[in-house]
Every structure is written in C-alpha cells, then in structure tokens.
C-alpha cells in the first residue's frame, strides 16, 4: 500500500511539473517590435534579456549578461545582424546560436522563445 501511495505521489508531482512547464511561457512583446538584423533589450521579472534576430534567421532570446564577467549586454553590446560583441572586453558571439567566437568554448545562455499565430513573442524564463 505504501508503495502505491509513493508511486501516485510521484505521478502527481510529474503531472504538476508538466503543468508548470506548459504555462512557463509568458508574453514578451508583440512581434512587430522586433526586426530582422536587430537586437532588442528587455527587463522581465528582474532578468536582463537580449533578443537577437539574426539576418536570415529566427529571433533568439539570450540572458543579457556576458559569460566573461557578467557585464550587461543590454547596455554594452553591438549587434550587426550576424555577431554580437560585448563592448566591455570584446568577447564575440554568434547571433544565431550564442556560441562564443572569440574566445571559443563559451556561449550565451538561451531562453526558449516562440512566435504565436496572433503575433505575440513569448519567452520561457524558467528553462534557461
């Protein structure tokens, strides 16, 4: 009997976690505020977020802090449609993947981002 209760409790916790995952996406902005080749900074729930829309790609959302020393990329970066440069120390990142180009072996943490059929941009801050 105790085993069955433990299994049911585990199932219940799994279902609860699944529900949290489903509702983790929240509206960030309307899609019309993003443009290909540009970066747009956001402050959402206290987190700095940098949305990049690389040339020929899809919008991507990254933690707005450089992995080098945690400098703000929201205030200290330059994006040319392909690469993002942290202007504090010159670290360079691929705008499509967040992968470090100079130096290599690092990357920007990414938030899941989705575009809805009704023109909203939604972000999952929990999954980063």
């Amino acid at each position: 009997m105790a085993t069955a209760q433990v299994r049911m409790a585990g199932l219940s916790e799994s279902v609860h976690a699944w529900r949290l995952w489903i509702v983790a996406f929240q509206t960030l902005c309307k899609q019309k505020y993003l443009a290909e080749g540009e970066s747009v900074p956001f402050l959402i729930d206290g987190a700095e977020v940098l949305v990049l829309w690389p040339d020929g790609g899809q919008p991507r959302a990254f933690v707005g802090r450089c992995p080098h020393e945690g400098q703000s990329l929201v205030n200290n970066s330059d994006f040319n449609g392909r690469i993002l440069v942290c202007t504090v120390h010159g670290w360079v990142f691929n705008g499509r993947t967040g992968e470090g180009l100079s130096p290599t072996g690092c990357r920007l943490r990414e938030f899941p981002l989705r575009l809805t059929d009704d023109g909203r941009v939604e972000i999952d801050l929990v999954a980063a």
Side-chain angles (χ1 to χ4, degrees):
M1 189 71 142
T3 303
Q5 289 174 345
V6 169
R7 286 186 184 154
M8 288 302 290
L11 177 62
S12 177
E13 290 170 7
S14 296
V15 170
H16 182 66
W18 177 252
R19 286 185 186 151
L20 287 175
W21 181 81
I22 290 173
V23 297
F25 278 93
Q26 59 185 299
T27 300
L28 182 62
C29 67
K30 293 183 179 180
Q31 188 174 342
K32 68 181 181 180
Y33 296 118
L34 304 179
E36 187 173 343
E38 294 184 2
S39 66
V40 181
F42 292 91
L43 182 62
I44 182 167
D45 292 344
E48 289 185 349
V49 175
L50 192 61
V51 175
L52 306 178
W53 191 337
D55 293 332
Q58 294 294 314
R60 308 289 292 265
F62 297 101
V63 171
R65 295 270 172 189
C66 183
H68 176 222
E69 290 186 354
Q71 295 292 327
S72 173
L73 294 172
V74 167
N75 298 315
N76 303 302
S77 66
D78 184 39
F79 182 62
N80 71 1
R82 295 180 316 279
I83 61 169
L84 177 76
V85 177
C86 176
T87 57
V88 176
H89 296 111
W91 283 37
V92 181
F93 303 92
N94 180 318
R96 287 179 184 253
T97 65
E99 181 181 355
L101 301 174
S102 178
T104 59
C106 64
R107 74 179 315 110
L108 299 173
R109 281 190 11 222
E110 186 171 3
F111 293 111
L113 193 72
R114 67 183 181 194
L115 307 177
T116 65
D117 291 337
D118 63 352
R120 289 179 293 126
V121 178
E122 295 182 336
I123 189 168
D124 181 354
L125 294 175
V126 177

